[in-house]
């Protein structure tokens, strides 16, 4: 038993343009969702770091990662740096209620 399927379908130019536009928008949506998950993970990590800083207030100096380097800073400086990173993270991704 063989059935013949029509594999050559005619698609008009306008329909192809709509398909391409949909594909671009869908790809952009996937990128945005992935970026949002990444930012949420980064924000969670910053909140965890903030909690750890609360527990280590009795220490004079703690290590803080700046890029690829760890530096010794006071607990207050580390708290300020974490807060700045959180604000930058939130402000960079959402601007005027619209995603970038």
């Amino acid at each position: 038993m063989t059935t013949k399927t029509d594999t050559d379908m005619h698609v008009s130019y306008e329909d192809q343009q709509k398909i391409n536009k949909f594909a671009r928008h869908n790809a952009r949506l996937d990128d945005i969702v992935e970026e949002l998950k990444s930012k949420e993970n980064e924000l969670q990590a910053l909140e965890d770091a903030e909690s750890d800083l609360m527990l280590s207030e009795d220490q004079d100096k703690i290590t803080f990662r700046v890029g690829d380097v760890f530096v010794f800073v006071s607990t207050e400086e580390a708290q300020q740096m974490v807060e700045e990173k959180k604000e930058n993270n939130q402000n960079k991704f959402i601007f005027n209620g619209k995603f970038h």
Side-chain angles (χ1 to χ4, degrees):
M1 288 183 150
T2 60
T3 59
K4 185 176 180 181
T5 59
D6 187 16
T7 57
D8 293 334
M9 294 179 61
H10 175 70
V11 177
S12 70
Y13 178 78
E14 293 82 19
D15 288 342
Q16 186 62 50
Q17 294 304 319
K18 289 177 185 178
I19 292 168
N20 293 346
K21 184 177 180 181
F22 174 80
R24 282 192 307 273
H25 286 291
N26 198 36
R28 178 70 177 133
L29 176 63
D30 290 343
D31 291 345
I32 290 172
V33 168
E34 189 175 310
E35 188 175 351
L36 179 60
K37 286 179 184 177
S38 171
K39 294 297 180 183
E40 287 172 345
N41 290 340
E42 189 175 336
L43 185 59
Q44 182 62 44
L46 289 170
E47 288 174 357
D48 291 345
E50 204 170 39
S51 297
D52 289 346
L53 284 173
M54 298 277 185
L55 298 173
S56 63
E57 284 185 345
D58 56 338
Q59 297 178 0
D60 289 337
K61 298 279 183 181
I62 60 170
T63 56
F64 191 86
R65 183 176 172 199
V66 179
D68 292 335
V69 179
F70 288 92
V71 294
F72 287 100
V73 295
S74 70
T75 305
E76 292 137 8
E77 288 174 318
Q79 286 174 336
Q80 183 181 11
M81 294 168 109
V82 167
E83 195 60 39
E84 287 174 5
K85 282 185 172 273
K86 279 176 61 176
E87 288 177 16
N88 286 341
N89 191 6
Q90 291 169 341
N91 292 338
K92 187 188 328 183
F93 194 67
I94 298 176
F95 180 75
N96 292 335
K98 295 183 179 179
F99 291 108
H100 285 277

